[in-house]
Amino acid sequence: MELLTTNNVWMMICTGLVFFMHLGFAFLEIGLTRQKNTINILFKNMFIITMGLLLYCLVGFNLMYPGDFNGFLGFAGVGLDAPLTAEGALDLAYNEGYTYWTDFLFQGMFAATAATIVSGAVAERMKIGAFMIFVIIYVGFIYPIAGSWHWGGGFLGELTTPFYDFAGSTLVHSVGGWGALITVYLLGSRIGKFKDGKAQAIPGHNIPLATAGVVILWLGWFGFNGGSVLSADPGLTSLTLVTTCLAAAAGGVVAALFSTALYKNLDLTMFLNGILGGLVGITAGADQMSPTDAVLIGSIAGILIVLGVAFIDKLKLDDPVGAIAVHLICGIWGTLAVGLFGALAGFDQFVSQLIGVASYAAICIISTLIIIYVLKKTMGIRVSEKEELEGLDAHEHGMNAYPDYRLNEN
């Protein structure tokens, strides 16, 4: 009983840390975009966490953890129904590490993260109604079904060498990243982003706020990865936190240095996204890596961030916050890294990791294409040119985030 209490308290602390990450996402997103769209971004972020939790309660949790199912799709029923003892008390034998309620809330915090990734990539030009419908479908149904394939006991765990994703480099970050990539492609770029085929910088309005967002996200990752141990095991938890921090540090430093070597300027935004890239990269195997492995994984993620941002621009895809490079590219890298580094490294494991990456790419690409294409052909997904130029805050919300401070901006 004492062990259960210790484990459960740790899991609840980690739940709070993951919840706090949503503030980090909001700060990062508004900091890297223009002030005229701040209310819109904050509204979307609040909608994601509130609607995400309600949907995860009603259908998501039981889609993701359906019990006995065919490995691809299962559903344990609407709502939450905790296991009880014969006397009607909460059955503490549900799990050695935590209760049913803690399990639901911790996993629910993860669910909303995938849509938050999409929010940043489509910022400043997507209709909020279309985005809200996308969130309801993607978070309520696509994410938990995809999650069941691995964390819910699905077919990826039945491979000869089981697929491994400790805390969600693919299950959370790439799921959000694939959704972001397809939506950005169908949505188009912001006015003025590309001129004569070349990407133009559209500076964010509050880089200090973006920096604060990254620090908050790094703090939240203590819960994101640390809680994914699913117990308060001192050895495994402390190792996980060490590898998480070292990968973040390496990602940030290498991205800053590599970016400076290429572009001859010390770009803070590359530094910030490098930290996030390192965090995403280590997330799939944080419990399996040595500290040296973590530094290598984070360092490669830092290089991938710089190259990824440039590659996304070359494809003429407009991602205001670098979400595709951070969450999709580094998510894929971190997932494959499990087969290259650490305790599970080996050819068979690498093949299984490839199968997992391909499986999640398939469900996310197909589902996002269908959802966004239907929305585009029915209600439309893009705001008007006038609304985009004047700002979504004024047109979709009728308010200004900074009423006493106005800045002329395009």
Side-chain angles (χ1 to χ4, degrees):
M1 185 63 183
E2 289 182 6
L3 182 61
L4 174 69
T5 301
T6 302
N7 288 336
N8 204 64
V9 168
W10 168 244
M11 288 289 293
M12 287 190 284
I13 290 171
C14 289
T15 299
L17 287 170
V18 179
F19 176 77
F20 194 44
M21 290 175 76
H22 289 279
L23 179 62
F25 277 119
F27 277 6
L28 177 64
E29 197 176 333
I30 61 177
L32 293 180
T33 53
R34 291 166 290 184
Q35 71 173 48
K36 63 187 179 183
N37 300 309
T38 300
I39 296 290
N40 181 260
I41 288 167
L42 292 174
F43 190 96
K44 287 192 299 181
N45 277 267
M46 291 300 97
F47 179 79
I48 288 167
I49 184 62
T50 52
M51 182 56 72
L53 279 170
L54 292 173
L55 289 167
Y56 204 65
C57 168
L58 292 172
V59 293
F61 190 55
N62 286 332
L63 275 172
M64 194 161 175
Y65 299 96
D68 294 329
F69 73 120
N70 61 15
F72 293 90
L73 181 63
F75 187 48
V78 175
L80 300 179
D81 188 14
L84 303 176
T85 65
E87 293 76 29
L90 184 64
D91 186 0
L92 297 181
Y94 170 76
N95 187 287
E96 293 180 4
Y98 45 83
T99 69
Y100 176 87
W101 301 121
T102 297
D103 191 17
F104 158 73
L105 200 56
F106 182 69
Q107 300 299 339
M109 294 303 165
F110 277 59
T113 301
T116 305
I117 294 164
V118 180
S119 172
V122 304
E124 305 200 281
R125 76 269 198 206
M126 187 171 184
K127 286 183 177 180
I128 195 165
F131 179 80
M132 290 163 73
I133 292 172
F134 172 79
V135 167
I136 289 170
I137 300 171
Y138 208 66
V139 174
F141 301 95
I142 306 304
Y143 169 79
I145 290 171
S148 74
W149 291 356
H150 177 41
W151 289 342
F155 77 95
L156 289 173
E158 301 300 319
L159 299 176
T160 304
T161 301
F163 172 74
Y164 192 81
D165 188 354
F166 173 63
S169 284
T170 283
L171 270 75
V172 177
H173 296 283
S174 286
V175 166
W178 286 118
L181 177 66
I182 300 303
T183 307
V184 164
Y185 172 73
L186 292 174
L187 185 62
S189 60
R190 290 170 293 173
I191 296 168
K193 176 60 182 176
F194 296 100
K195 185 177 181 181
D196 299 325
K198 293 186 177 180
Q200 307 297 309
I202 301 179
H205 83 280
N206 197 325
I207 301 302
L209 205 57
T211 305
V214 170
V215 174
I216 290 171
L217 285 167
W218 191 346
L219 173 62
W221 238 283
F222 281 84
F224 201 90
N225 285 0
S228 294
V229 175
L230 303 181
S231 78
D233 178 270
L236 197 54
T237 299
S238 54
L239 172 64
T240 297
L241 298 185
V242 167
T243 57
T244 298
C245 279
L246 288 175
V253 168
V254 171
L257 294 176
F258 187 57
S259 172
T260 301
L262 288 181
Y263 304 118
K264 312 305 179 192
N265 69 312
L266 291 164
D267 188 334
L268 177 60
T269 61
M270 285 294 187
F271 203 158
L272 297 176
N273 273 334
I275 292 170
L276 296 178
L279 288 165
V280 172
I282 196 62
T283 292
D287 64 328
Q288 301 295 324
M289 302 301 170
S290 71
T292 304
D293 293 331
V295 171
L296 288 171
I297 290 169
S299 297
I300 293 170
I303 293 171
L304 289 174
I305 283 295
V306 179
L307 297 177
V309 168
F311 180 62
I312 296 300
D313 281 346
K314 274 195 178 303
L315 294 176
K316 294 185 174 57
L317 297 173
D318 183 10
D319 178 1
V321 302
I324 297 170
V326 169
H327 299 280
L328 177 56
I329 294 175
C330 290
I332 292 171
W333 158 239
T335 304
L336 297 179
V338 173
L340 300 173
F341 299 95
L344 298 178
F347 178 76
D348 291 342
Q349 186 67 56
F350 185 77
V351 171
S352 293
Q353 299 304 103
L354 277 174
I355 293 171
V357 168
S359 300
Y360 283 97
I363 185 174
C364 295
I365 291 172
I366 293 169
S367 61
T368 306
L369 273 171
I370 293 171
I371 297 165
I372 299 298
Y373 184 78
V374 170
L375 288 171
K376 187 174 184 177
K377 292 299 181 181
T378 52
M379 64 186 297
I381 58 174
R382 183 76 185 244
V383 299
S384 70
E385 181 177 343
K386 176 181 171 66
E387 289 171 328
E388 183 175 344
L389 291 174
E390 294 181 359
L392 304 186
D393 290 0
H395 284 276
E396 293 201 316
H397 304 277
M399 59 180 67
N400 193 316
Y402 309 99
D404 298 323
Y405 175 75
R406 297 182 182 276
L407 181 71
N408 291 325
E409 52 185 355
N410 295 319

